[in-house]
Amino acid sequence: MAQVEATTERVVAADAEKVFDALADYTGTRQRLLPEHFSEYEVREGGDGEGTLVHWKLQATSKRVRDCLLEVSEPTDGELVEKDRNSSMVTTWRVTPAGEGSSRVVVTTTWKGAGGIGGFFEKTFAPKGLGRIYDAILANLAAEVEK
C-alpha cells in the first residue's frame, strides 16, 4: 500500500487568528464551508478545535463515499489535525500569517492507498479530486472571513 497525499493552499485576506478560529468552529462556521460532497454532518463531542469529534460522509466521486469519524487535535499553534477513526486518513490544516491582514491556509490529507493497479489509479487521480473539494472549502472560507 502506498501513501497517498493531497495538498491545497490559499492566501486569505484575513488575519491568521480569525481564519483559524473559523476552521476550528465545528459547531458553526465549519459546516457552512463544506460543499455538496459532504453529508450527514454531526458534531458528536466538543465543537471548538481540540477534543472535537465530528462525523460526516464524503462523496469524492459518484461511486466512492467515505464515512468519516474525525478526532480533532491542535498539536501546535495554527494547526488542526483531523484523524479518521474509520480509516488511515489524516487531514492537517495549517494557518500562518502571510503579510499584514492576510494568512496562508494549507490543507494536506494523507492515507494508505490500495495496492496494485487500483492503487496506481488512486494515487494518480484521488489527490486531484480531493484538491478540487478543498479548493471549494477554501473559497468558502475566504468568503466567510473576508466579510
Side-chain angles (χ1 to χ4, degrees):
M1 289 194 282
Q3 182 86 350
V4 183
E5 181 176 307
T7 300
T8 305
E9 68 178 76
R10 182 182 183 117
V11 173
V12 177
D15 68 50
E17 185 176 340
K18 182 177 183 179
V19 173
F20 182 83
D21 288 348
L23 285 170
D25 178 17
Y26 289 87
T27 57
T29 308
R30 181 59 86 88
Q31 185 174 5
R32 292 193 305 269
L33 303 179
L34 300 177
E36 68 278 358
H37 301 88
F38 294 83
S39 64
E40 299 184 30
Y41 184 95
E42 177 188 15
V43 175
R44 296 191 177 167
E45 293 175 18
D48 185 23
E50 178 87 30
T52 296
L53 182 65
V54 63
H55 171 267
W56 60 61
K57 288 193 176 175
L58 170 59
Q59 184 160 2
T61 68
S62 61
K63 295 179 182 175
R64 180 78 166 119
V65 178
R66 187 183 287 260
D67 189 343
C68 302
L69 183 59
L70 304 156
E71 295 178 351
V72 179
S73 64
E74 294 181 31
T76 61
D77 284 348
E79 185 176 69
L80 283 172
V81 176
E82 301 167 344
K83 291 185 179 176
D84 187 7
R85 287 185 179 175
N86 298 332
S87 73
S88 62
M89 189 170 71
V90 177
T91 300
T92 303
W93 299 84
R94 287 186 184 86
V95 181
T96 56
E100 188 163 336
S102 293
S103 54
R104 177 177 313 283
V105 182
V106 179
V107 55
T108 301
T109 297
T110 60
W111 68 95
K112 289 181 177 66
I117 191 72
F120 169 78
F121 284 105
E122 180 180 20
K123 191 169 182 135
T124 302
F125 296 108
K128 292 175 180 135
L130 203 49
R132 285 190 293 275
I133 292 169
Y134 286 140
D135 280 340
I137 293 172
L138 293 175
N140 293 342
L141 173 65
E144 181 76 25
V145 298
E146 291 174 355
K147 292 178 183 174

